Amino acid sequence: MKKNKFLPLLASIALFSGPAILVAACTTEISRYQADLSNDLQDRILFDFVGVNYSVSAKSQFSSAFKQGMDFIKKEVEGIMAQQEFYNFFREKLNYSEADANAAFTRIKDNLGLNLLAADYFNTVNSGQSFDRKVYTNKLIFQTNNWHQMGTTKFDYSKSPFYSQDSPDGNPDLVNNPDEVFTSTHLYSDENLANPKIDEQIQRIAKHADENYNKELNYLTNGNPIWDNPGPEEQLPPTLENNNVVKYQKSLERFKWWLRFRYQQYYYSQILPQLNETLFTMANILNSILKINNNSNSATIQIDNTKYAAQLQNWGPNSVWNSNYKLVWDYTTSISNAQNLESAWTSATPSLPELITGGTSASDPLTLNPLFLTRLAGSDQKIKNTVDPILGLNAYVSDTSSKDYNGAVTNTDDKSNNKISGWRINTNDDTHYWSKNNRGSFAYSAPIYWIDVVQNLDFNYYSSTDESLTINKDEDYGSFIQYWNIGENSKISSSNFSKYMRGPDVTATNPDADPNYEYYQNMKWNTFWQMIYFLASQAETNPNKEVAATNFTLAAKVLYPKFIRKENIYNIDFWNAVKEYY
């Protein structure tokens, strides 16, 4: 099998000509050096332990690494190791082509990063604060004609060979000028939403500054006038129109890329380091939670009941699964309206809608309810914009963490059957809402079961070639989930939401002929990565952060020795940061 070459972490150390500051490691003692050296020598030491061949291009990639501090460098290194582990999974276990393996990791990393940035943005805006002001205190913002701050310098994109390029890739319908690209018409029109070339264009423009910020910033802004008229404090994504959830989801995705462009420096310095650390842990979990028995051109997937899977779901009474991962939506209204809704709760027609509708017959399939929560708002208040990385529905609170009523939502199994999706009961007074500051909040919780997510999951989803493996899985649930189901211990939720999350059986479906294939697999893989992220992220917003910290240490003790021999670490500051993993 062709081995990957883009991350030579396993290569032996190459000593460079020049001042003899780096010494070959001997068997008895390792010489390490402080970081207060010249920039050139610092970079040489950095590339020495990362294992990247020293070159001008490699040096420029890490030219500001020491300025960011050792914690930033450490997370950069972890991001590189994570990429290699993800690559190994797709390339060596699932037999993806080299291009597909690389593209799969990039897509996963981009999706997670965009969700983090968008959630940060919406949480700030929804709290009545300006994200521009939060970010602009120390990070430059990329201004455009229709989104800028009064008193800031205008950007002249015509001064950049990249941004001023017409017809990139020979496509006469595309330009790289952000003033023309990041507009509502260009991003969200029906015609442009159907054009995948525009998605490629948006992503290329949003990422351009990652490698070109330092060399282009000066001539983009030098000598330019100041904005003398105020722009909007924030931009909001398109709203759901005509119950078209798919269009809304795609529009929201493009809006996230607009945020990625505008707040590139914030993304690079704040979001990315945290994400690299999380991907590092995710890579180790991925390697443990999925067992691939690879024989010739076919494979058997085993979803092993490891400690990681057990962190997502566990046994309850009477051999019924309990989910530890829940999605929570919130509807907050005036206390008087909340009381009116509560009084009508037991009427013949329920006052609050369900997340999933249909399923009454073969001709009435289960579908996502596009009016979920939106119908309730009416004239009382506007549903706040939020980021639901799985279903794309507004009013999403977060996975498993609702600040005001998290304890009540997660501890109401007996009264409101929290093992299935539905509106929760406030156990303090047996109502369906929680009151605070003359407002009433209703909580809808949807537990997601790992066993549902891996059912009907197409492991060839990220592959564009025929090289990938044919996955052999028995249609019998108990055979597929080999180490979980013992005898009758296979009772999983029969709720409509659980059935919806399982999706159609990919073994009985021709993806080219099934109009729902792309939708379901995208939803299931987004769910898959969000659940692994839940096990790996140490962010304050993750209610599972303490468990994730333990999972990180387990990953570090596996991956650091695997990819970087301790004899190859010459910088004492870096060694002090990682020595506990050896």
Side-chain angles (χ1 to χ4, degrees), residues 182 388 582:
F182 293 108
D388 167 6
Y582 288 85

Side-chain angles (χ1 to χ4, degrees), residues 290-306:
L290 291 180
K291 304 297 182 183
I292 316 292
N293 292 336
N294 189 343
N295 298 310
S296 185
N297 289 322
S298 65
T300 299
I301 302 289
Q302 294 179 354
I303 312 299
D304 202 352
N305 187 19
T306 63

